[in-house]
Structures are given as structure tokens and as C-alpha cells.
Amino acid sequence: LRPLLEEIEVLKAERNAVVLAHNYMTPDIFHGVSDLKGDSLALAHMANETEADVIVMAGVHFMAETAKIANPDKTVLIPDLEAGCSLADAVTAADVRELRRLHPGVPVVTYVNTSAEVKAETDICCTSANAIEVVESLGVDRVIFLPDEYLGKWVAANTEVEIIPWRGHCEVHEQFNAEVVREYRSQFPGVRVLAHPECDLDVLRASDMVGSTSGMISYLAEERPRKAVLITECSMSDNVSADYPEIDFVRSCTLCPHMKKITLERILDSLKYRRFEVEIDPEIARRASRAVERMLEVGRGPRG
């Protein structure tokens, strides 16, 4: 493992490259080679601000596209083209245009877990960390919210704005239900349950805290519970436990098959062979960048 890590570090220095890692990466990537790490919102900010010439996205394809939208003149690499997302696959640009036809004048809020083509049809993007804030920032009574139905339900439960939803789901988070939460509480008395808002509303209502992956980390840092379970992708607990060894993490081992396509070997090949470079049609990138930049302008300041 060490020779692999060292070779990656050498190539990063030679290429003036940084590795951006999502919180769902495996620990060898997250703690071993990443320069910047966080949830989707944090990564969008970091991609927007980095001075590196090359960005290697240790995440999934829509994250690499978002980095390219924010950095049209930089080289953005995704180590595996098959690292996709069930949410991004759930909606197309044509779907958004049809929703606009059905609901004329209603703004479209799009979760960042979408393609550049979808973002280009959008008024503003959001992440799980700032979805409620983004929706309320528009100052309207109704919004179209896509593609995550469950995140849309969470936003609707926490705002007066009417949400017109789409029926996309995360294939990881839709596996959880309220019964799973009850079983954790029964088997591990006193456990704090932290849930990602891509879970269904019954899971969120049964949890102690609802938030993005960075929000979960902030909660753990402040509350320091004795026991915790993170209702999200399994690698999250592995990564966080290294920083909070005093917390007993109950593992909810549900893996994202797309995130797991990113490995150290593929990051090395990505740096060695400029594999695989993300390219976006300039007109689509220009239109999508407005939605991403509007998101980044909402609540600039503390991240996550």
C-alpha cells in the first residue's frame, strides 16, 4: 500500500494536482491521498476555490462535472467513468423541460446529484446541507424540486414552500426504514441515530439528527455521544471513527457500488494517463454554471 500512496503523491506534485474526496470514499483514499474532503456542498466550494491545475474527483461523475463547471479552464479527472449515481440517472433535461411546461413560472431547484444537462435547465442547485435554505432563498410559494423525492419531502416538512416533487431515490438510502432505526435503538440502548435526508421521512422522524455527511460530522464533534449510528453509506463511519475513537460507532453497512468503483489503483492511473477527463459542452456548462453559482452564493460562510 505504501508504494502506491507514495507514487500518487509524486504524481500529484508533478502535475500540480489535488484529490477531492467525498465522505463516502474508503479510508485508504479518504485518509491516504485526499487533499480536500467533505460532502457535496464542501466539494463544490473547494472545486471553485482550488488553485491546482488538475482536479481528481474521488467521488461520482456528477461531482466531477460540478468541479468542471466551476473550473472550465482546469483539467478535471474522474478515475472511473462508471462511477455514476441512481439519483442522477433518475431525471433528464427533457423531464425538466416538461415540468416547466406543466408548471409555468415555477422555479426549478435541482439537487447537485444530477447531470450537467439537467443543471443547465435549472434555476438553482442545492445540496442536502443547504436544500431548505436554497428553497427559502427564492421567496416564492412553490418550487419544482428534483430529483430526490425523499429530500423533497424533508424540505416540505421544514418549510412553508410547496414542493412539487420528482420520484428519484438514492439506491443506498432507500434501503433504510423506521424499523431499522427501532432495531438499532433496541439492540444498542442510548445510541444516537444520525440520518441523511436522502432517507424516507419515516426514517428521518425516527432519528435524533438529520443532516448531510458534513452536518453529521459537526454534530459528532459538538455532542460527542458515547454511541452513534450513521444512517448513510457505510464508509462514512469508517472515516469518521478515525477522528473520534472515543465514540462507539454502530456500523450500518450499506455500500454505494458507484463510489466503490474509485480505488487507489484507479486514482494512480487517472494521474498517470490523464484518465478520464471530464468535458462538458460549453453552452451547457455556461447555463449550468449559473445554477451552481447561485447555490454557492446562498449562505456563503461556514461550510457543511
Side-chain angles (χ1 to χ4, degrees):
L1 184 61
R2 183 176 293 278
L4 190 57
L5 296 174
E6 290 174 350
E7 191 171 357
I8 289 172
E9 292 301 326
V10 168
L11 285 169
K12 280 162 56 179
E14 289 177 355
R15 310 244 193 298
N16 188 25
V18 292
V19 174
L20 270 60
H22 189 269
N23 289 327
Y24 294 159
M25 286 293 102
T26 51
D28 56 348
I29 295 171
F30 190 83
H31 294 293
V33 298
S34 68
D35 302 286
L36 303 166
K37 47 201 173 189
D39 62 7
S40 296
L41 179 58
L43 293 179
H45 277 289
M46 292 167 186
N48 197 43
E49 295 169 358
T50 182
E51 295 182 0
D53 296 320
V54 177
I55 296 170
V56 180
M57 181 56 70
V60 291
H61 197 270
F62 78 81
M63 297 176 182
E65 283 193 332
T66 303
K68 183 64 177 179
I69 289 166
N71 296 274
D73 298 325
K74 293 184 187 296
T75 298
V76 177
L77 304 173
I78 180 78
D80 191 315
L81 287 173
E82 297 300 312
C85 173
S86 58
L87 280 168
D89 290 341
V91 65
T92 66
D95 293 327
V96 184
R97 290 191 290 271
E98 177 63 10
L99 283 167
R100 285 196 184 277
R101 187 189 68 78
L102 294 172
H103 305 282
V106 178
V108 178
V109 177
T110 298
Y111 195 26
V112 292
N113 299 42
T114 47
S115 68
E117 287 85 355
V118 167
K119 290 180 175 71
E121 302 292 334
T122 295
D123 293 291
I124 188 169
C125 291
C126 74
T127 71
S128 57
N130 66 4
I132 295 168
E133 189 179 9
V134 164
V135 166
E136 293 187 338
S137 76
L138 298 175
V140 296
D141 297 328
R142 304 171 76 208
V143 303
I144 297 165
F145 190 95
L146 53 91
D148 191 332
E149 179 185 15
Y150 295 156
L151 180 59
K153 285 181 178 180
W154 174 246
V155 173
N158 287 278
T159 179
E160 297 298 317
V161 181
E162 179 188 350
I163 300 297
I164 300 169
W166 188 254
R167 293 192 177 274
H169 301 129
C170 167
E171 63 190 88
V172 171
H173 292 104
E174 71 178 344
Q175 296 181 50
F176 296 103
N177 56 48
E179 180 57 33
V180 170
V181 177
R182 285 191 287 272
E183 288 175 6
Y184 282 133
R185 293 197 189 280
S186 173
Q187 293 177 30
F188 307 97
V191 69
R192 298 278 186 91
V193 180
L194 286 63
H196 196 282
E198 288 177 17
C199 298
D200 200 0
L201 205 52
D202 62 346
V203 175
L204 306 183
R205 286 173 171 157
S207 301
D208 298 300
M209 179 269 177
V210 177
S212 69
T213 54
S214 287
M216 291 180 185
I217 293 171
S218 296
Y219 179 93
L220 295 170
E222 292 168 11
E223 297 293 325
R224 302 291 174 127
R226 287 188 305 105
K227 245 181 236 167
V229 59
L230 310 184
I231 307 296
T232 190
E233 212 271 355
C234 189
S235 292
M236 177 75 185
S237 295
D238 295 333
N239 292 330
V240 175
S241 63
D243 295 322
Y244 301 98
E246 75 279 12
I247 299 175
D248 180 12
F249 285 93
V250 177
R251 298 299 203 266
S252 60
C253 207
T254 306
L255 295 171
C256 173
H258 308 290
M259 289 282 185
K260 295 307 173 268
K261 291 183 184 297
I262 307 300
T263 63
L264 283 176
E265 290 79 7
R266 287 175 181 166
I267 290 172
L268 177 61
D269 284 348
S270 186
L271 284 163
K272 258 188 188 176
Y273 307 115
R274 203 182 174 98
R275 184 185 293 167
F276 295 91
E277 186 166 359
V278 176
E279 297 286 359
I280 304 172
D281 177 272
E283 177 58 19
I284 289 174
R286 183 188 67 78
R287 292 165 55 208
S289 69
R290 293 184 307 206
V292 173
E293 185 54 36
R294 285 189 72 187
M295 173 189 76
L296 295 177
E297 289 295 336
V298 173
R300 275 202 190 272
R303 308 285 163 80

